[in-house]
Amino acid sequence: MEYVDFLPVCPEVEIGLGVPRDSLRIILDNGEQRLVQSASGRDVTEAMEAFCTDFLGSAGEIDGFILKYRSPSCGIKDVKVYPTTSLKSAVIGKTSGYFGRAVLKEFSYLPVEDEGRLRNARIKEHFMTRIFMLAAFRKVKSEGRMKDLVAFHTENKYLLMVYSQEELKKLGSIVANKEQETFQELVSEYEKHLYSSLSRPPRYTSSINVLMHAFGHFSERLSNQEKALFFSWIQKYRNGKVSLCPAISIIRSWAVRFEDQYLTNQTFFEPYPEGLMEVDPVNSHLRNDLWK
């Protein structure tokens, strides 16, 4: 909450189900999925669909969604489907919740996750990287200045390189603006390719490639021992023995040492606020002392 503005909503409350309320489940009725309260048999499918249309149609500028894990209204996957409302009936399939499904359809280009999946460190990193990059781009769009678009592209070049070198080339060509298009024409085209570049999480080999590009800034000014230390951390990362952090820290220290402002400003090294970065509790010295 220190870094984003939340727009909290509970679709089930919004359609009048109250708190507390009987649980909902998705059932398959004559080949059609319906959203029904188990205890009463009340069908709220149409009410939920109407809410989804109204709410998402008037939500305004949004950078992403965090939804409820496996909820029949908000889940984005692995939501259980039953043959009847009976509590004794067995699961016959999996689907997405009604609100979650509407979000994925209406905002397929935005980061959308559920709080269960966000427990995975890689999923969380990808989600937060997209959230904060798209929020920064939204600010560029609103200010409407070419120099802001150029600055955004420059600062995010290495991060975009990690995600898609192909899209990075297209984005660079757009910013070059050889056809002398207006800012609105450019930013619209840039946005389309930005969404495309962030659509899939980066591969670990792409991260190594970017670090090697950064290494090239200093390779002529480093001792053989310094180079060997850096390459050893890269190899350990490639072999899955360590995280990327040691190699990144070495590059950042060289950027400070050699006063390389271009690298210092790259969002690749801090794609989202440092306060949101976490150490796995298993590896943290702050975990319970097992020797007591």
Side-chain angles (χ1 to χ4, degrees):
M1 293 183 71
E2 197 177 330
Y3 304 99
V4 304
D5 295 319
F6 281 104
L7 182 61
V9 63
C10 176
E12 296 177 16
V13 170
E14 293 297 325
I15 64 172
L17 296 186
V19 179
R21 57 186 174 275
D22 292 329
S23 62
L24 291 173
R25 62 168 47 183
I26 296 176
I27 67 167
L28 197 62
D29 183 23
N30 293 322
E32 181 185 4
Q33 289 185 7
R34 307 294 296 179
L35 188 62
V36 179
Q37 275 191 315
S38 302
S40 65
R42 179 184 173 188
D43 189 322
V44 296
T45 306
E46 280 73 24
M48 181 61 73
E49 289 176 338
F51 167 77
C52 294
T53 300
D54 293 344
F55 179 82
L56 296 176
S58 60
E61 293 186 323
I62 291 178
D63 298 314
F65 292 83
I66 299 177
L67 299 175
K68 184 63 184 173
Y69 185 49
R70 293 179 175 173
S71 161
S73 56
C74 294
I76 58 175
K77 61 191 310 182
D78 291 335
V79 178
K80 296 175 181 178
V81 179
Y82 296 88
T84 68
T85 58
S86 171
L87 296 177
K88 295 182 180 180
S89 59
V91 176
I92 58 173
K94 299 287 184 69
T95 187
S96 53
Y98 278 75
F99 184 73
R101 188 182 310 160
V103 167
L104 291 171
K105 180 180 179 181
E106 187 72 20
F107 296 94
S108 59
Y109 53 91
L110 289 182
V112 179
E113 281 297 349
D114 64 50
E115 34 87 29
R117 283 170 50 85
L118 286 176
R119 295 173 188 150
N120 179 284
R122 290 185 63 197
I123 291 175
K124 181 174 66 175
E125 182 177 7
H126 176 50
F127 176 78
M128 291 201 292
T129 296
R130 295 175 72 200
I131 283 282
F132 285 94
M133 184 186 282
L134 294 178
F137 179 72
R138 180 165 50 81
K139 184 178 179 182
V140 169
K141 282 175 57 182
S142 67
E143 294 185 352
R145 296 180 297 185
M146 190 61 202
K147 70 174 186 177
D148 295 319
L149 181 59
V150 171
F152 174 87
H153 182 75
T154 301
E155 292 170 3
N156 286 286
K157 184 175 180 180
Y158 276 22
L159 189 54
L160 290 168
M161 187 186 297
V162 167
Y163 273 89
S164 173
Q165 291 194 52
E166 181 181 349
E167 289 295 345
L168 175 62
K169 290 177 182 178
K170 294 176 183 178
L171 291 166
S173 178
I174 293 169
V175 171
N177 196 18
K178 293 181 180 179
E179 303 299 323
Q180 297 297 303
E181 296 183 52
T182 66
F183 174 81
Q184 290 304 325
E185 291 172 324
L186 279 181
V187 83
S188 177
E189 187 68 10
Y190 191 97
E191 182 175 32
K192 181 169 63 176
H193 287 282
L194 179 63
Y195 287 138
S196 177
S197 70
L198 298 175
S199 61
R200 293 183 178 181
R203 302 173 65 182
Y204 78 94
T205 50
S206 297
S207 297
I208 293 174
N209 177 58
V210 166
L211 285 177
M212 294 304 296
H213 269 80
F215 171 77
H217 283 238
F218 318 109
S219 57
E220 300 295 324
R221 294 179 280 180
L222 299 170
S223 69
N224 289 336
Q225 291 91 337
E226 287 176 307
K227 294 176 184 178
L229 178 63
F230 173 72
F231 291 139
S232 72
W233 282 117
I234 289 291
Q235 191 58 44
K236 289 174 185 175
Y237 172 70
R238 190 190 302 274
N239 295 337
K241 301 295 185 181
V242 298
S243 72
L244 201 59
C245 290
I248 287 178
S249 295
I250 290 176
I251 292 291
R252 295 187 77 176
S253 70
W254 288 339
V256 172
R257 172 179 160 192
F258 296 113
E259 298 181 350
D260 191 318
Q261 201 60 44
Y262 176 80
L263 277 184
T264 300
N265 291 338
Q266 286 297 310
T267 57
F268 168 76
F269 298 108
E270 194 174 306
Y272 48 87
E274 189 178 53
L276 291 174
M277 296 181 181
E278 298 176 344
V279 175
D280 189 321
V282 172
N283 300 319
S284 174
H285 68 279
L286 298 177
R287 67 181 299 200
N288 292 336
D289 190 343
L290 301 181
W291 285 272
K292 285 186 178 180

